[in-house]
């Protein structure tokens, strides 16, 4: 079974600064997907960024980027130019690559509460 | 529509009562997933569907929980004889195929059992 660990329960950052959220995972699979989801106080789950394990290039989406280290099983999220609207819980998630018995289920970490201070 | 619609947003039930939650996936999405988020923010997978067929039900407490996705109807998650520990936010999500691009989540139903 896969496990996802987010070792930082809470973090804070000043507006306009950069912050990195950590995520490690444990799997015996070689093909999989990794995701970061944001959950603001409204509780809506919003997909921030995704990474395909077979791609070496780190994914980027505007101010959000990841540092994917496959050998180390690490998938950190970097938020640049932090904004007040980035205040939210951030969840790292793992999915086995569809096909070959995969059930397309997401396994989530326990989340990191990020607070952006003015 | 382009959103996953969950109803109701809030539901309060007395212990032992039945609770029924609804989810309308995005049109054209073949896969529907139900997750339970408990107070410590942990997500627990409950069940998934491929169209109207159960795909994976390994997370379902089968003695009290049941779910359906019927054609031309919202999907539903029903809890018979609710217990205090069922208090949680229940999320529905849908995906067009296999979830490789991530799911689209609904806004959740907060169930409070008193």
């Amino acid at each position: 079974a896969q496990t996802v660990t987010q070792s930082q329960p809470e973090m804070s950052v000043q507006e306009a600064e950069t912050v990195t959220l950590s995520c490690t995972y444990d799997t015996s699979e070689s093909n999989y997907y990794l995701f970061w989801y944001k959950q603001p106080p409204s509780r809506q789950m919003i997909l921030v960024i995704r990474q395909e394990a077979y791609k070496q290039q780190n994914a980027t989406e505007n101010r959000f980027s990841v540092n994917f280290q496959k050998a180390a099983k690490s998938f950190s999220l970097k938020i640049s130019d932090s904004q007040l609207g980035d205040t939210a819980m951030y969840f790292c998630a793992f999915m086995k690559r569809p096909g070959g018995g995969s059930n397309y289920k997401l396994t989530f970490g326990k989340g990191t509460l990020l607070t952006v201070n003015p | 529509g382009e959103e996953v619609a969950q109803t109701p947003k809030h539901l309060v039930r007395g212990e032992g009562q039945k609770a029924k939650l609804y989810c309308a996936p995005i049109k054209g999405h073949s896969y529907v997933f139900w997750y339970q988020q408990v107070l410590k923010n942990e997500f627990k997978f409950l069940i998934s569907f491929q169209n109207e067929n159960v795909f994976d039900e390994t997370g379902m407490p089968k003695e009290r929980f049941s779910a359906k996705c019927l054609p031309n109807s919202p999907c539903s998650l029903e809890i018979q004889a609710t217990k205090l520990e069922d208090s949680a936010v229940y999320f529905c999500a849908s995906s067009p195929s296999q979830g490789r691009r991530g799911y689209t989540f609904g806004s959740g139903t907060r169930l409070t059992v008193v």
Side-chain angles (χ1 to χ4, degrees):
Chain A
Q2 288 73 36
T3 59
V4 177
T5 301
Q6 293 179 249
S7 59
Q8 305 149 315
E10 294 187 32
M11 294 190 72
S12 63
V13 65
Q14 292 299 120
E15 198 174 3
E17 294 187 345
T18 295
V19 64
T20 298
L21 280 58
S22 300
C23 172
T24 58
Y25 56 94
D26 188 20
T27 185
S28 58
E29 302 289 329
S30 58
N31 292 320
Y32 48 86
Y33 298 90
L34 296 163
F35 304 87
W36 278 98
Y37 278 89
K38 169 185 176 181
Q39 187 178 41
S42 67
R43 84 176 180 226
Q44 178 74 51
M45 289 287 283
I46 302 163
L47 178 62
V48 174
I49 199 165
R50 61 185 281 274
Q51 175 80 40
E52 300 173 3
Y54 60 90
K55 289 187 176 179
Q56 292 187 343
Q57 187 174 8
N58 289 323
T60 63
E61 288 287 342
N62 301 314
R63 297 182 296 108
F64 299 88
S65 61
V66 298
N67 183 4
F68 173 49
Q69 300 290 330
K70 190 172 184 180
K73 297 181 182 174
S74 171
F75 182 60
S76 60
L77 175 69
K78 185 171 85 170
I79 306 174
S80 304
D81 185 26
S82 297
Q83 301 175 0
L84 297 178
D86 295 334
T87 293
M89 283 289 294
Y90 286 82
F91 292 93
C92 179
F94 173 101
M95 179 192 291
K96 285 197 294 185
R97 189 166 184 262
S102 170
N103 56 10
Y104 319 142
K105 181 171 68 177
L106 280 174
T107 299
F108 287 91
K110 294 185 179 181
T112 295
L113 177 60
L114 176 67
T115 302
V116 180
N117 298 309
Chain B
E2 290 301 310
E3 66 170 22
V4 177
Q6 286 191 251
T7 56
K9 292 195 183 306
H10 303 280
L11 191 59
V12 179
R13 287 290 179 265
E15 208 172 359
Q17 291 186 319
K18 183 174 75 174
K20 195 164 186 178
L21 291 60
Y22 296 92
C23 167
I26 292 173
K27 193 172 183 180
H29 282 196
S30 306
Y31 292 89
V32 171
F33 305 83
W34 285 97
Y35 283 81
Q36 178 194 55
Q37 185 182 28
V38 294
L39 287 178
K40 290 189 176 180
N41 298 314
E42 294 184 27
F43 282 88
K44 178 188 174 185
F45 168 79
L46 294 175
I47 191 168
S48 61
F49 289 84
Q50 182 181 13
N51 298 312
E52 62 267 25
N53 303 307
V54 173
F55 192 72
D56 180 353
E57 57 181 348
T58 53
M60 286 285 270
K62 291 184 182 177
E63 59 276 11
R64 296 185 299 109
F65 285 61
S66 62
K68 295 179 186 177
C69 277
L70 300 176
N72 303 312
S73 297
C75 296
S76 64
L77 177 68
E78 188 168 329
I79 309 172
Q80 302 285 345
T82 52
K83 296 182 178 181
L84 295 176
E85 68 244 34
D86 298 332
S87 294
V89 180
Y90 291 83
F91 284 97
C92 173
S94 71
S95 176
S97 62
Q98 303 177 349
R100 61 168 62 99
R101 296 201 170 275
Y103 312 153
T104 302
F105 281 83
S107 56
T109 293
R110 179 177 294 280
L111 172 65
T112 303
V113 181
V114 297

